[in-house]
Amino acid sequence: MLSNFLPWLQVQWRQTCALTRKNALIRGRSWKLNLLHALQAVVLIFIIWAVNAAIGLSPSTFTGMAAVHDPSSVHVAQIPNCRDNAFLRKDVPCYAFIYTPAGDPLVESLVKSMQAANQPSIPASQIMGLADTNQTDVYLRKNPQRVLAAVHFNVKSNTSVTYVLQSNASLEFFKGRFKDPNLYIQMPLQVAVERAVARLAMNDSVMPWDVALKYFPHPGLETVSRIGKVAPVFLLASLMFNFVVLLTNIVGERQLGVRQAMSTMGMSRTAFWASWLLPELLLGVLHALLLCLAALAFRFDLVVQNSFALLFLLVFLADVALSGNVFGHQHARAQQQHRCAGVVRSKNSKSSVQKLMQHHPVQVSFGFPFTPATDPGWIFLFCLFPWTMLSKGVLDLSAATTGVNHGISWASRESYCHADSPTSALPASAPYWQSNCVLNFSQMYGVLVAQAICYLVLAVYLDIVVPDEEGVSQPFYFFLQPSYWMSRQGSSVSHAEKALSGRGSDPGGAVGEDPGGPVDEDVAEAAADAERLCSLHVSGKATTSSAMQRSSLLTHLQLGMEGAVQDEQQQQQQQQHILAGSREVEVAAAAAAAAAAAAAGG
């Protein structure tokens, strides 16, 4: 058994090295493609950084998102002009504020003081007085988007006045910025009322009254990382670059007939797949390392605060799993190109696999389906695709760097993930923990390795059962046939010995018998080559290098048969010419005899 296995292993190693060298030479000639492959990783990491920075600038004035250690004072502005508000109607008059009760001398005095003290002063057309709060509510319901706020005074005496402010607390978003309703109208109106009351009480119309706002120090309230939502899509786009290149090379080699020619010369299927897989492992290491180093250069928290090995191994295994997906996908792509007469069309890229690549990272970024409450069937379905594991891992790494979290270490790659809330002692011992979690990093790595193996096995299976360019294939149950796994060398040797000894027979006669008659020289030469090669096979001296001889032998046999056929056709044509000539002579002789008889009768 070992004596047969070692020569087979040597042959596989020599063929794998030769095929790998062939792939390396082809890839090395495309230096522009290799340069683009390296640059696209850095460019996509830069795009992630740019998108994260752009999103971060939008809510930059809202201090609740980031941690605030020493907040600065914010001056309370004046009451704004209602015409400057983009959300109020422009076709009807608007009001900066409504006051109640209208007609009260003390209230009218306070309103005039508020109107005059504002910078700039509020036009009289933007102030309206109503009787009470009920009338105000009725007016606001019938006239939406016309009033910024309302103030309701309650005059108890000439020295006692209380008030209630009424405003819209909805958050407004305009031109990429959020407008805080507290700072926009509520606090300016409150400061204006208090200033008017204080000046009236002190009987000083120019008494200074300035108010500023200062937030309390607080930790960051951001619970979801922006990079965690953006990075999976761009990382997948970077991995897809190698996906497309590998798919194009494999399918192109098959469509051009290169693989069929190498198979005819004795190429092993094992060596063929190994020659594509081994270089992809090396390219996957380099690609993952380049992506992680670029992310580290841009100081991404998911690389700086987490273990570098976690992200590197995640990207590398996702790349390997995608390469296995290429091996399985190339059969469908080859069939599509075969129907299109070898023309690669852009619409072929809109396949169902690529649609899944577009939607799954977005779904995973919202937590679906990796939660304990989700049906296990959905979790199993999403575990079939490499890009879902990539999105899940990047999202976990990003969540571990938000707020006061300090990342996931290599030692805690399993302990951080809990389906339920952990015990009270765990947060003190672990740098980061996550509740309501399914699949830790060790499990995700195992899923990616299983995906790569399963996709590779599927590719080999399809390669055997799907008909090749010559229409040759194995039945779908070929692995259940003992003849596929057992060597048939003994039976072939016995048949060859019988053929050489002349004991084999067939309907056309024995091989060793001389049928007699003339023998064509080319046919005799081809028969001699066949006998020599058969002798080598019987003696066990034939090696895989004889594949070239077999190919040459088949060529000689074909040429010999074609030559024999051409000779036979030439002989038939010559016989037809001779027969035609003899008929012409007979016709001429009959005509001459008829002419002589007619002359004699006359």
Side-chain angles (χ1 to χ4, degrees):
M1 184 68 180
L2 185 61
S3 60
N4 294 331
F5 177 74
L6 289 179
W8 177 86
L9 188 62
Q10 293 175 356
V11 171
Q12 302 303 319
W13 172 253
R14 289 196 298 268
Q15 290 192 3
T16 302
C17 293
L19 293 173
T20 303
R21 182 172 179 269
K22 181 262 299 180
N23 295 336
L25 290 175
I26 295 176
R27 189 67 180 265
R29 292 170 182 172
S30 304
W31 64 269
K32 295 181 180 179
L33 181 65
N34 298 330
L35 180 61
L36 182 61
H37 192 184
L39 291 179
Q40 58 87 20
V42 180
V43 171
L44 289 176
I45 292 296
F46 171 76
I47 293 176
I48 296 175
W49 174 84
V51 171
N52 178 64
I55 297 176
L57 290 177
S58 297
S60 59
T61 57
F62 180 53
T63 59
M65 297 295 294
V68 177
H69 302 286
D70 186 16
S72 57
S73 299
V74 179
H75 181 73
V76 178
Q78 303 292 321
I79 297 175
N81 192 315
C82 64
R83 283 301 177 190
D84 297 335
N85 191 290
F87 295 92
L88 294 186
R89 296 174 59 181
K90 304 299 182 182
D91 57 337
V92 293
C94 65
Y95 298 97
F97 66 91
I98 295 175
Y99 68 94
T100 62
D104 186 278
L106 183 58
V107 172
E108 297 293 343
S109 177
L110 291 174
V111 170
K112 290 182 180 179
S113 177
M114 293 167 56
Q115 179 182 357
N118 197 74
Q119 297 296 330
S121 61
I122 304 174
S125 60
Q126 295 186 9
I127 301 175
M128 182 175 63
L130 297 176
D132 52 24
T133 56
N134 294 330
Q135 189 176 359
T136 302
D137 293 338
V138 172
Y139 181 84
L140 293 177
R141 282 195 297 268
K142 292 183 178 180
N143 300 273
Q145 298 179 342
R146 293 186 62 181
V147 182
L148 291 178
V151 54
H152 306 287
F153 293 97
N154 184 13
V155 181
K156 299 180 180 179
S157 64
N158 292 334
T159 58
S160 178
V161 179
T162 61
Y163 64 94
V164 175
L165 299 180
Q166 183 178 3
S167 63
N168 188 357
S170 299
L171 194 65
E172 296 179 353
F173 182 81
F174 184 69
K175 291 186 177 180
R177 291 186 176 274
F178 292 98
K179 185 178 294 184
D180 188 355
N182 295 327
L183 291 176
Y184 178 66
I185 184 60
Q186 183 173 341
M187 293 192 66
L189 184 59
Q190 178 182 350
V191 171
V193 173
E194 291 176 351
R195 180 173 56 233
V197 171
R199 288 180 177 180
L200 181 62
M202 299 300 295
N203 197 20
D204 185 358
S205 59
V206 294
M207 183 181 66
W209 189 271
D210 294 323
V211 179
L213 175 67
K214 192 172 186 179
Y215 290 96
F216 281 103
H218 59 80
L221 302 180
E222 186 176 9
T223 58
V224 180
S225 172
R226 295 187 297 268
I227 292 183
K229 291 183 175 295
V230 175
V233 177
F234 289 97
L235 290 178
L236 177 61
S238 180
L239 298 182
M240 281 297 298
F241 187 92
N242 191 49
F243 180 94
V244 175
V245 172
L246 180 61
L247 181 62
T248 303
N249 291 339
I250 295 179
V251 175
E253 188 177 78
R254 182 170 181 172
Q255 290 297 313
L256 293 175
V258 176
R259 182 183 175 184
Q260 185 67 22
M262 292 188 297
S263 299
T264 304
M265 293 186 295
M267 182 190 69
S268 170
R269 183 178 284 110
T270 303
F272 171 78
W273 290 111
S275 66
W276 285 109
L277 180 61
L278 295 178
E280 286 305 313
L281 293 177
L282 179 59
L283 289 177
V285 171
L286 298 177
H287 192 192
L289 187 62
L290 182 61
L291 284 173
C292 294
L293 290 178
L296 184 63
F298 282 94
R299 308 300 298 173
F300 285 177
D301 289 338
L302 64 89
V303 184
V304 175
Q305 298 187 23
N306 294 295
S307 174
F308 183 86
L310 290 177
L311 181 63
F312 169 76
L313 196 58
L314 178 69
V315 176
F316 168 67
L317 292 179
D319 195 4
V320 174
L322 275 175
S323 299
N325 191 282
V326 169
F327 296 147
H329 193 57
Q330 57 101 7
H331 294 282
R333 185 64 179 269
Q335 294 298 325
Q336 286 180 344
Q337 290 188 348
H338 181 70
R339 289 192 297 265
C340 296
V343 179
V344 180
R345 300 184 180 182
S346 60
K347 66 178 182 180
N348 289 341
S349 61
K350 301 298 183 67
S351 62
S352 59
V353 174
Q354 291 167 332
K355 291 180 181 178
L356 290 174
M357 292 180 182
Q358 296 172 2
H359 296 295
H360 278 195
V362 178
Q363 293 173 344
V364 174
S365 64
F366 288 99
F368 182 82
F370 299 106
T371 57
T374 307
D375 186 86
W378 284 107
I379 298 177
F380 175 79
L381 179 62
F382 273 66
C383 286
L384 297 177
F385 308 104
W387 44 91
T388 57
M389 293 294 99
L390 177 65
S391 302
K392 173 68 167 56
V394 172
L395 191 64
D396 286 357
L397 291 174
S398 301
T401 60
T402 57
V404 296
N405 301 318
H406 299 289
I408 304 174
S409 62
W410 177 259
S412 61
R413 65 187 182 278
E414 298 179 0
S415 60
Y416 80 95
C417 185
H418 299 270
D420 301 324
S421 297
T423 60
S424 58
L426 183 60
S429 59
Y432 171 74
W433 56 268
Q434 182 180 356
S435 60
N436 199 29
C437 175
V438 175
L439 292 181
N440 55 51
F441 272 96
S442 295
Q443 293 171 335
M444 284 186 280
Y445 295 154
V447 170
L448 288 173
V449 172
Q451 288 177 359
I453 296 175
C454 291
Y455 282 127
L456 181 60
V457 172
L458 178 62
V460 175
Y461 176 80
L462 294 177
D463 186 60
I464 297 174
V465 301
V466 174
D468 58 10
E469 289 75 5
E470 303 297 332
V472 180
S473 65
Q474 294 283 350
F476 68 93
Y477 53 88
F478 71 92
F479 54 90
L480 299 177
Q481 296 177 331
S483 59
Y484 180 80
W485 305 101
M486 297 176 61
S487 176
R488 293 172 291 180
Q489 183 178 3
S491 61
S492 61
V493 170
S494 62
H495 286 298
E497 290 177 345
K498 292 180 180 180
L500 289 176
S501 61
R503 293 193 297 268
S505 61
D506 52 23
V511 176
E513 297 178 356
D514 185 6
V519 179
D520 187 86
E521 295 181 358
D522 294 333
V523 176
E525 182 181 357
D529 292 339
E531 184 175 357
R532 179 177 55 81
L533 184 60
C534 190
S535 300
L536 291 174
H537 180 70
V538 172
S539 61
K541 298 180 181 180
T543 62
T544 55
S545 61
S546 304
M548 293 294 295
Q549 299 176 359
R550 291 195 296 268
S551 177
S552 177
L553 173 61
L554 293 175
T555 303
H556 284 305
L557 288 173
Q558 184 178 5
L559 292 176
M561 292 176 63
E562 292 178 355
V565 171
Q566 291 177 359
D567 292 342
E568 184 178 357
Q569 291 177 352
Q570 291 177 0
Q571 292 177 2
Q572 292 178 355
Q573 291 177 359
Q574 292 176 359
Q575 292 177 359
Q576 291 176 358
H577 286 305
I578 293 174
L579 292 175
S582 62
R583 291 193 186 97
E584 292 177 356
V585 171
E586 293 176 356
V587 171

